[in-house]
Amino acid sequence: MLRVAVVGGGPSGSCAAEVLAKAGIQTWIFERKLDNAKPCGGAIPLCMVEEFDLPESIIDRKVRNMKMISPSNREVDINLENENEYIGMCRREVMDAFLRNRAAELGAQLVNGLVTKIDTGINRHGPYTLTYSDYAAGEATGSTKTLEVDLIVGSDGANSRVAKAMDAGDYNVAIAFQERIKLPAEEMKYYENLAEMYVGTDVSPDFYAWVFPKYDHVAVGTGTMQQNQGLIKGLQEGIRERAKKRLVNGEVIKVEAHPIPEHPRPRRVVGRMALVGDAAGYVTKSSGEGIYFAAKSGRMCAEQIVESSASGSKIPTEADLKKYLKKWDRQYGATYKVLEILQNIFYRNDAAREAFVEMCDDKDVQRLTFDSYLYKRVVTMNPWQQLKLTLLTLGSVLRGNALAPQGYKPVDSAVRDEAEVNAMLAVSTIKGGIKVGAKSRKSEPMLASKG
């Protein structure tokens, strides 16, 4: 009987373990932090809810309205017109626990443990001996144990130990930083089914910042590429400053930071070890989406293992496992390339960001974007739409140069008049979290030059 270790219990590992367990394959899934709350916007597309049979109980909010906010504070509303469509907002600790526990209920052996060493056998082809600290007893240090398996699925994130063991090669990582902020009732009601995305060099020189609603708070965060990671706390201060009139009197209840991959690793299958999710580098450019692609890669990898092993009756070869990569690249390679191009075009400076937000005001652009995101399908344009989009892009880029601001101002409150919100800010802005003042306002021109 085939023995498989799934190292990492996030969406990619849990979905892989679920498929393997259903097929009757002996499966272990290792996760050190069973209450892990990854700093992540937590947005999932509608197709993921259906495809992965996710219950409504794990979805905090059904967002049907989005605001894109430009560097000059131009606000563009993007609304889903179909009542049955929405973007799901989840807390990762809730969603991850559900997926992990479902895999365990189907027969995967859930180990509250940290893999510390992997003996990969001759030429990295196994059998593989995992040394791990088992924390099942609840002790701080854990007890050292070993396990021998025939195959490993590496789903252990950007700092993957499995990737190191298989010499998968390095990749650059981006940094995500997020604060969970509780808001007064009026402000929280405003975000009930609305998410905001802010662009500008003040909040990120190469990405965007977000305010996403959760069960009883909003997630407020930003991300930036590796070369700018030293700026991350200053960029978080930037989104707090831009959104402060909408986050007035908020209180930070949690601060989170985490690396996320910028591109796939050079090698994702070596011997009988395969990488999925963040460990493989499956986070998209431009949107920064990773949850759906993590879950999907875990499922596709496991389905290939089941097929190639005849449901666990034989051990797959390296060539067998690489079939999963061919299927993955064929299905999603174009998506990753298109989003990388969009990020390079529209996040390079504030003029381009102004153009990007202006384009999002067009209904055809909105529909194409949402169809691609919600259903993970490539939407073809008719010739008129192609011509219109080309002219719209050119016009928006030209206007963007004139609209790009020299400095940045907070957006207006959506629920209070100016006098009221200023009076509240005079008493208290946002309590807790990062130490505001780490980035001087004088540094904004310097940041802008990097855009």
Side-chain angles (χ1 to χ4, degrees):
M1 171 63 70
L2 181 66
R3 303 164 298 173
V4 180
V6 179
V7 182
S12 59
S14 296
C15 291
E18 178 183 344
V19 172
L20 296 169
K22 276 183 179 178
I25 293 172
Q26 195 168 10
T27 306
W28 291 264
I29 179 169
F30 291 83
E31 176 58 49
R32 170 64 185 98
K33 298 179 180 179
L34 297 179
D35 59 348
N36 186 42
K38 183 179 178 180
C40 165
I44 59 173
L46 183 62
C47 66
M48 183 173 180
V49 177
E50 300 169 353
E51 186 176 347
F52 291 86
D53 195 21
L54 301 178
E56 289 200 358
S57 60
I58 72 163
I59 299 172
D60 285 347
R61 303 280 182 180
K62 294 182 177 180
V63 167
R64 303 187 65 251
N65 306 291
M66 177 79 74
K67 276 189 184 291
M68 296 289 298
I69 302 175
S70 78
S72 65
N73 285 348
R74 173 176 180 168
E75 298 184 37
V76 168
D77 292 304
I78 305 173
N79 305 309
L80 285 169
E81 297 174 356
N82 187 329
E83 292 183 1
N84 297 320
E85 293 181 332
Y86 63 87
I87 298 170
M89 292 291 170
C90 302
R91 286 165 289 165
R92 285 293 301 273
E93 63 270 29
V94 175
M95 183 181 69
D96 290 12
F98 168 80
L99 292 171
R100 198 163 47 236
N101 291 337
R102 184 166 68 181
E105 289 167 4
L106 290 167
Q109 298 180 52
L110 177 56
V111 180
N112 181 196
L114 175 67
V115 174
T116 56
K117 181 182 177 183
I118 302 173
D119 184 339
T120 60
I122 299 174
N123 296 323
R124 295 194 173 94
H125 278 70
Y128 304 97
T129 301
L130 280 65
T131 302
Y132 64 97
S133 296
D134 190 332
Y135 295 92
E139 298 178 358
T141 56
S143 57
T144 301
K145 296 183 179 180
T146 60
L147 175 70
E148 185 178 277
V149 295
D150 306 302
L151 190 150
I152 298 176
V153 176
S155 51
D156 47 342
N159 295 319
S160 170
R161 191 174 295 275
V162 177
K164 291 181 176 65
M166 61 191 275
D167 190 25
D170 293 329
Y171 52 21
N172 294 330
V173 295
I175 303 298
F177 192 100
Q178 177 174 278
E179 295 173 301
R180 301 190 188 198
I181 302 178
K182 279 204 168 189
L183 299 178
E186 284 297 309
E187 278 71 18
M188 195 64 218
K189 185 177 180 181
Y190 165 71
Y191 285 111
E192 188 172 27
N193 69 345
L194 169 74
E196 292 181 333
M197 294 173 60
Y198 292 74
V199 291
T201 307
D202 59 327
V203 299
S204 179
D206 42 38
F207 201 55
Y208 64 86
W210 61 86
V211 180
F212 285 176
K214 300 303 174 72
Y215 172 68
D216 62 351
H217 63 276
V218 289
V220 180
T222 184
T224 189
M225 294 183 182
Q226 191 170 34
Q227 63 266 31
N228 297 314
Q229 63 182 334
L231 304 175
I232 191 66
K233 288 189 177 180
L235 298 172
Q236 180 68 12
E237 184 180 341
I239 179 56
R240 285 175 56 151
E241 178 68 16
R242 283 275 294 282
K244 71 179 182 181
K245 292 182 180 179
R246 294 183 182 178
L247 306 176
V248 63
N249 283 12
E251 182 175 1
V252 176
I253 57 175
K254 193 175 183 64
V255 178
E256 306 159 316
H258 197 77
I260 55 175
E262 290 184 18
H263 55 79
R265 290 190 189 271
R267 293 172 292 282
R268 291 166 284 162
V269 169
V270 173
R272 294 180 176 89
M273 297 178 284
L275 299 177
V276 295
D278 280 13
Y282 295 148
V283 175
T284 62
K285 296 277 191 177
S286 185
S287 67
E289 184 187 0
I291 299 175
Y292 173 82
F293 293 110
K296 185 69 173 181
S297 65
R299 174 175 284 186
M300 288 179 67
C301 179
E303 287 173 344
Q304 187 62 58
I305 293 169
V306 171
E307 178 185 333
S308 298
S309 69
S311 296
S313 62
K314 61 181 181 179
I315 300 175
T317 66
E318 180 178 290
D320 289 331
L321 293 181
K322 285 184 174 178
K323 293 177 183 177
Y324 133 69
L325 295 183
K326 292 178 182 178
K327 293 175 182 177
W328 176 266
D329 292 341
R330 184 167 58 247
Q331 187 165 347
Y332 296 114
T335 298
Y336 281 84
K337 181 53 68 177
V338 168
L339 290 173
E340 181 178 4
I341 292 170
L342 289 176
Q343 179 164 329
N344 291 337
I345 293 173
F346 290 115
Y347 288 143
R348 69 185 187 275
N349 55 44
D350 278 351
R353 295 181 187 103
E354 288 287 347
F356 173 59
V357 173
E358 180 178 291
M359 287 178 59
C360 289
D361 206 11
D362 182 82
K363 293 299 181 183
D364 282 340
V365 172
Q366 291 182 16
R367 190 66 256 175
L368 289 167
T369 301
F370 270 122
D371 278 352
S372 298
Y373 174 76
L374 292 175
Y375 304 109
K376 291 295 170 284
R377 64 190 181 205
V378 177
V379 181
T380 57
M381 293 185 289
N382 61 46
W384 161 243
Q385 286 176 316
Q386 291 175 337
L387 176 61
K388 177 183 175 183
L389 184 59
T390 301
L391 295 174
L392 183 63
T393 302
L394 291 172
S396 296
V397 168
L398 290 173
R399 285 187 293 275
N401 285 293
L403 293 172
Q406 295 300 309
Y408 308 94
K409 298 178 181 179
V411 295
D412 292 332
S413 170
V415 297
R416 304 180 192 275
D417 62 38
E418 191 71 1
E420 182 183 10
V421 75
N422 283 337
M424 293 175 69
L425 286 170
V427 176
S428 175
T429 54
I430 298 172
K431 307 178 188 73
I434 64 168
K435 185 177 180 181
V436 175
K439 176 172 76 73
S440 167
R441 295 294 108 194
K442 293 179 180 178
S443 67
E444 286 174 353
M446 177 190 71
L447 287 174
S449 69
K450 295 177 181 289

